[in-house]
Amino acid sequence: MKKFDWDRIQRRLEGLRGPGTLEAIEEAIGQADQAEAHFYRMLFRYDYACEATFHDDPPKAMPVAVEFSKIFEEHPDVLGPDGREMYLMIMQMAVDPVVSLPQIPTAQWEAMMTEFLGLVKRFNVGHRVYWWQMCQYMLYLDKQKAFEYFQKFWKTGRDGLSDCRACERCYAVKMYLAMGDEVTAAVHAKPIKQRHIRFCSDTPHLMLLAYLEYYMNRGNLKEAIPYARELKRIGHRDRGDLSYVGAVLRCYAYSDLEEGVQLMRETFPWVGGMWNQKMVYDFYKGAWTVLRRYAMQEESIKLELPEQLSCRRGDGIYSTRELEQWIGEQVRKIAERFDSRNGTDSFRKDLELAAREPKMGAF
């Protein structure tokens, strides 16, 4: 084995967060590979997948998960007794983003889920997570079937691979709201709202998002506003929060346009180069709504757009109407790709709801 300076790499990675984090971990992976340090080869890939999943662009976890799998199968004892859960966790992080990548066909997702289920049975851990993965993908194909998978998820015992209890409560809120059952959703939301349950970095964000989208889709601006305000306060930390930001923008377009424009300015650069098309869709949907409203007041707007966008101008000054039309075209294209992959019209209907002006009460 070639020399591997773990202490120096650890000092560099400690406390690192934000732009450049993935690049730093990627460099550490390269050094571990060169040294044939198999423990660190897997550990750094796991760290990379976690960073991408929770703070950046989740689909970037997919290639490193495949690499992790190959190393693990060749050196199954290197990680010790915790290795099997790390293996399953990183493979979950590889499967999870498929729902957000319309270029990956359902048949390929089904093959990935069969492989994941094989690992779950092999190590006898992760059965609950497996049912949630089935549920969240199926939600765009068949809502009733998705709810059946959710019920299997909820009835299956927790284990070392399970998400935190607060997140699972948020999943329940989301699913019962999807079924139009506000009463049962409220039962699951109560311990979260009362802070009677320990939070993680994605709670209560997931619950706030579920309620915000639920009320906005029903045109009930009055009920949506408190959730938007709280989500805006805690939910725009990094580009991993683009879906949260998009939902807030959609509400602020009608409740606090000036604040919505400012939030859009702050977060628009995050969308550049994103693989996760669902997050791009969510953000564009909110930005589109803000620009539609802003175009009624102002002919131009100054924004810093990512270099990857074809509409980007060097001076950063855009016709509000033209930019709104460009973003509207992009979000419709993404919706069409998802619906084509899923064989449904759920994204088209979602955009139709976003185009409707909410009231200070239900439609």
Side-chain angles (χ1 to χ4, degrees):
M1 182 181 295
K2 300 177 183 178
K3 184 178 179 181
F4 181 72
D5 192 346
W6 157 244
D7 290 335
R8 184 180 65 81
I9 294 175
Q10 184 183 37
R11 286 194 299 272
R12 183 182 178 192
L13 295 180
E14 280 180 351
L16 192 60
R17 178 68 65 231
T21 304
L22 288 181
E23 290 77 4
I25 302 175
E26 192 172 15
E27 183 178 336
I29 290 172
Q31 294 179 33
D33 286 349
Q34 186 177 14
E36 299 179 9
H38 303 307
F39 177 91
Y40 293 108
R41 293 177 72 199
M42 287 186 278
L43 179 63
F44 291 146
R45 283 174 168 84
Y46 184 82
D47 288 344
Y48 185 100
C50 288
E51 179 67 22
T53 298
F54 299 111
H55 301 289
D56 198 273
D57 191 0
K60 290 183 178 179
M62 298 173 73
V64 297
V66 173
E67 295 166 0
F68 182 106
S69 174
K70 185 174 185 299
I71 300 167
F72 184 93
E73 295 295 350
E74 293 175 351
H75 308 279
D77 301 322
V78 170
L79 290 174
D82 295 330
R84 64 176 193 170
E85 288 189 5
M86 285 183 67
Y87 187 12
L88 275 165
M89 181 65 77
I90 197 171
M91 295 313 292
Q92 177 195 347
M93 287 188 276
V95 171
D96 194 71
V98 174
V99 68
S100 302
L101 299 172
Q103 65 270 34
I104 297 183
T106 298
Q108 185 175 342
W109 169 78
E110 291 172 343
M112 293 175 70
M113 287 304 299
T114 298
E115 183 178 350
F116 182 70
L117 180 59
L119 291 175
V120 167
K121 292 179 177 179
R122 172 180 165 186
F123 297 119
N124 194 30
V125 64
H127 297 275
R128 188 176 175 96
V129 165
Y130 169 78
W131 290 121
W132 176 247
Q133 289 293 331
M134 295 292 290
C135 169
Q136 67 173 351
Y137 190 94
M138 193 57 61
L139 190 58
Y140 298 103
L141 280 70
D142 184 332
K143 189 166 62 174
Q144 186 59 49
K145 185 67 176 178
F147 190 72
E148 292 174 9
Y149 283 135
F150 166 76
Q151 291 175 311
K152 291 181 179 180
F153 153 78
W154 198 252
K155 293 175 182 177
T156 301
R158 288 173 52 81
D159 57 37
L161 203 66
S162 296
D163 291 321
C164 79
R165 295 181 185 275
C167 280
E168 290 189 342
R169 285 276 181 176
C170 291
Y171 301 160
V173 171
K174 176 180 179 178
M175 290 307 301
Y176 281 106
L177 288 178
M179 302 304 292
D181 186 349
E182 293 187 46
V183 174
T184 309
V187 171
H188 288 284
K190 184 176 180 179
I192 303 174
K193 291 183 176 182
Q194 294 181 342
R195 303 299 198 264
H196 289 169
I197 192 169
R198 184 177 179 180
F199 290 169
C200 74
S201 61
D202 270 325
T203 49
H205 309 62
L206 292 170
M207 179 199 70
L208 297 171
L209 176 64
Y211 272 111
L212 175 54
E213 291 187 323
Y214 176 79
Y215 286 121
M216 287 300 295
N217 284 345
R218 281 153 183 76
N220 193 332
L221 186 60
K222 180 179 179 180
E223 294 290 343
I225 288 173
Y227 293 104
R229 287 175 177 167
E230 179 64 9
L231 191 54
K232 192 268 179 182
R233 186 180 70 83
I234 64 176
H236 62 292
R237 301 157 292 186
D238 50 51
R239 69 199 309 231
D241 289 344
L242 277 172
S243 289
Y244 301 149
V245 172
V248 171
L249 289 176
R250 180 182 170 194
C251 181
Y252 274 24
Y254 300 99
S255 61
D256 193 340
L257 182 57
E258 182 178 348
E259 187 68 20
V261 171
Q262 181 57 34
L263 179 61
M264 182 179 65
R265 283 197 176 100
E266 294 173 6
T267 54
F268 222 128
W270 294 349
V271 80
M274 287 290 294
W275 294 8
N276 189 309
Q277 291 299 288
K278 178 60 165 57
M279 291 169 69
V280 175
Y281 170 85
D282 290 338
F283 177 79
Y284 275 169
K285 183 173 67 173
W288 174 56
T289 309
V290 166
L291 286 167
R292 287 178 66 206
R293 300 286 293 178
Y294 196 64
M296 298 176 185
Q297 302 178 8
E298 301 291 341
E299 293 184 358
S300 64
I301 186 170
K302 186 172 178 60
L303 288 173
E304 179 185 346
L305 298 188
E307 294 181 358
Q308 295 91 337
L309 301 190
S310 62
C311 68
R312 184 178 183 272
R313 292 174 54 94
D315 60 7
I317 300 175
Y318 300 87
S319 160
T320 313
R321 182 64 65 190
E322 290 178 3
L323 185 59
E324 176 252 311
Q325 291 174 349
W326 186 88
I327 293 176
E329 181 182 358
Q330 305 311 306
V331 76
R332 282 189 288 274
K333 286 180 178 178
I334 297 173
E336 289 169 0
R337 294 179 68 194
F338 272 115
D339 283 344
S340 177
R341 191 272 301 272
N342 297 336
T344 67
D345 59 357
S346 61
F347 277 80
R348 179 183 64 79
K349 289 181 177 178
D350 184 68
L351 269 185
E352 289 176 353
L353 289 173
R356 299 173 67 183
E357 182 173 350
K359 308 295 181 184
M360 291 304 286
F363 282 137

